[in-house]
Amino acid sequence: MAVGNNGQGTEVGEKTAFRRQSEEVNRNLKYISLAILVVQNASLILSIRYVRTLPGDRFFTTSAVVMAEVLKVLTCLWIIMFQRRGNVKEFIALLFNSIVIQYKDTLKLAVPALIYTLQNNLQYVAISNLPAATFQVTYQLKILTTALFSVLMLRKSLSRIQWVSLLLLFTGVAIVQVEQEGKRKETAVTGPSQNYVKGLVAVIVSCLSSGFAGVYFEKILKGSSASVWIRNVQLGIFGTVLGLFGMWWNDGLAIAEKGFLFGYTPMVWGVIFNQAFGGLLVAVVVKYADNILKGFATSFSIIVSTVVSIYLFGFHVDFLFTLGAGLVIGAVYMYSLPKVATPPPSTPTVSSSSHILSDSAGESERDAFLPKTPGKEKGC
């Protein structure tokens, strides 16, 4: 009996040690997720602002949007091929079935692809005409638009704390805009090639499109079994085609004269790679980040963007901007607090930082990179 008790005690001890080790790993993953989310959110905005304010030849933003879409599609195709263990026949059959045979499912992504193509171009316009910190604060209005579209289109209910946080969010953004407008008139902080009103309109339209597209995804893709990588390939195909059309419409003659890669420097390539691969990375990282952590990461990235803007772009922070940004940061954190009631089952959503699909209801994203055994996969 003593031996049996010792054996049970050893087993319990091993389980306890394993549980503690798992908790430690999860805790470390959360901290890593937080760091990645903060760096990606802040670095993308700051790097775009930096390359758009440098003297010299300016690259065509429409071509950068197309290049980012192409890189995302190629990356997702490589991941799918890796999952199929390099089996070209299975790879082609899967793509043909998912994209061509199930064409109705593919066509559903045409509308959000159009919205995201517009949004990606508008972000370049907004960041080119607004200080990075101001854009980062104002862009959090996408939380407000997403919430409103969720209530209107999906009949979702918001908690009292969430409604209060949305009011604080709107108030904070309004204070920042009043402060920036007064500063613009008094000190003319924008350069001759910058248009503050144009940037403000661009970021507001971008927030509206982000909110609608995210809710639209949730509405039309409920119950979908396709993997996150297949969805991004479908989205990227439409995004590339629509981006090419937008490039031809807006910069066709200039690109024909100067070339698709005109003005591309190592910094510009860095922005494009950040936009393409950063979003995919965030889609994986979000798996380990709960809503509170994501809200904290967004809030912290605003602080990082503001601090870096002070040193990099000579951005001036006064009391009104601090007050407005503080309200926005607090509102983002409050909105991310979990509800008391149990939420409904998760559905495929879209990563807010880069518009990459993140399938929180499906398999672990850690498994998404691993070759899958036959009979296990649903769609990819």
Side-chain angles (χ1 to χ4, degrees):
M1 293 297 292
V3 175
N5 288 336
N6 288 337
Q8 290 179 357
T10 302
E11 184 178 353
V12 171
E14 290 177 351
K15 288 183 178 179
T16 303
F18 178 77
R19 189 182 303 111
R20 289 177 179 175
Q21 185 178 6
S22 298
E23 291 175 354
E24 182 67 23
V25 171
N26 289 335
R27 190 180 302 112
N28 291 336
L29 286 173
K30 283 190 174 184
Y31 290 138
I32 295 172
S33 300
L34 173 63
I36 292 175
L37 288 171
V38 171
V39 170
Q40 204 279 333
N41 284 343
S43 65
L44 181 61
I45 306 304
L46 292 168
S47 59
I48 291 177
R49 175 67 180 177
Y50 182 75
V51 298
R52 294 300 291 170
T53 54
L54 286 175
D57 296 330
R58 286 197 175 186
F59 66 100
F60 298 105
T61 57
T62 50
S63 73
V65 170
V66 172
M67 182 62 71
E69 290 295 327
V70 170
L71 290 176
K72 281 186 282 189
V73 171
L74 293 177
T75 303
C76 290
L77 290 175
W78 179 85
I79 292 172
I80 296 171
M81 173 66 82
F82 181 73
Q83 291 176 344
R84 298 292 155 177
R85 300 178 185 273
N87 190 317
V88 178
K89 186 176 180 180
E90 286 187 13
F91 172 75
I92 295 176
L94 174 63
L95 292 180
F96 184 78
N97 178 68
S98 301
I99 298 174
V100 180
I101 300 299
Q102 302 180 35
Y103 68 93
K104 291 183 179 179
D105 197 41
T106 302
L107 289 175
K108 291 179 181 179
L109 296 174
V111 173
L114 173 62
I115 295 173
Y116 288 140
T117 302
L118 172 65
Q119 184 178 348
N120 288 335
N121 283 283
L122 286 174
Q123 282 187 344
Y124 275 105
V125 174
I127 299 173
S128 299
N129 290 279
L130 295 176
T134 303
F135 171 84
Q136 188 82 309
V137 171
T138 308
Y139 192 54
Q140 301 314 309
L141 282 176
K142 66 180 182 232
I143 298 175
L144 174 63
T145 59
T146 302
L148 294 179
F149 280 121
S150 296
V151 171
L152 295 174
M153 296 173 61
L154 301 178
R155 299 293 187 266
K156 285 192 173 182
S157 61
L158 301 179
S159 67
R160 186 174 300 176
I161 291 180
Q162 286 179 316
W163 281 114
V164 172
S165 68
L166 293 178
L167 178 61
L168 291 177
L169 176 69
F170 183 81
T171 303
V173 172
I175 291 174
V176 168
Q177 292 306 319
V178 169
E179 183 267 347
Q180 288 293 297
E181 179 65 19
K183 183 184 294 185
R184 184 174 68 91
K185 290 181 178 179
E186 292 177 7
T187 62
V189 293
T190 55
S193 61
Q194 296 175 300
N195 187 323
Y196 188 88
V197 175
K198 182 179 179 181
L200 181 60
V201 171
V203 73
I204 290 175
V205 175
S206 183
C207 289
L208 287 170
S209 64
S210 175
F212 176 79
V215 175
Y216 180 88
F217 259 121
E218 187 172 351
K219 188 176 180 64
I220 69 173
L221 297 181
K222 281 186 176 180
S224 173
S225 61
S227 75
V228 59
W229 310 117
I230 287 290
R231 285 300 184 201
N232 279 304
V233 170
Q234 294 169 319
L235 190 66
I237 291 173
F238 282 114
T240 302
V241 173
L242 293 169
L244 287 170
F245 177 78
M247 183 182 70
W248 168 79
W249 180 271
N250 194 62
D251 301 312
L253 293 177
I255 290 178
E257 178 185 351
K258 298 181 179 180
F260 183 87
L261 300 179
F262 175 77
Y264 276 45
T265 63
M267 277 296 301
V268 174
W269 279 110
V271 169
I272 294 173
F273 275 82
N274 191 347
Q275 195 169 33
F277 302 126
L280 292 172
L281 180 62
V282 169
V284 176
V285 165
V286 161
K287 186 68 181 180
Y288 306 103
D290 54 26
N291 284 332
I292 296 178
L293 191 65
K294 287 185 285 185
F296 185 79
T298 301
S299 302
F300 195 62
S301 66
I302 294 175
I303 299 174
V304 172
S305 297
T306 303
V307 173
V308 175
S309 294
I310 294 173
Y311 293 98
L312 195 60
F313 307 117
F315 184 72
H316 298 288
V317 177
D318 56 18
F319 173 75
L320 279 180
F321 181 88
T322 304
L323 175 62
L327 288 175
V328 170
I329 291 171
V332 170
Y333 179 77
M334 286 176 59
Y335 188 85
S336 65
L337 293 175
K339 290 184 178 180
V340 177
T342 303
S346 299
T347 55
T349 57
V350 182
S351 171
S352 61
S353 61
S354 53
H355 325 302
I356 305 299
L357 280 172
S358 176
D359 192 357
S360 58
E363 299 176 299
S364 169
E365 294 299 348
R366 287 170 293 183
D367 299 333
F369 284 102
L370 301 177
K372 301 188 178 181
T373 55
K376 181 181 178 181
E377 60 265 82
K378 294 179 182 179
C380 177

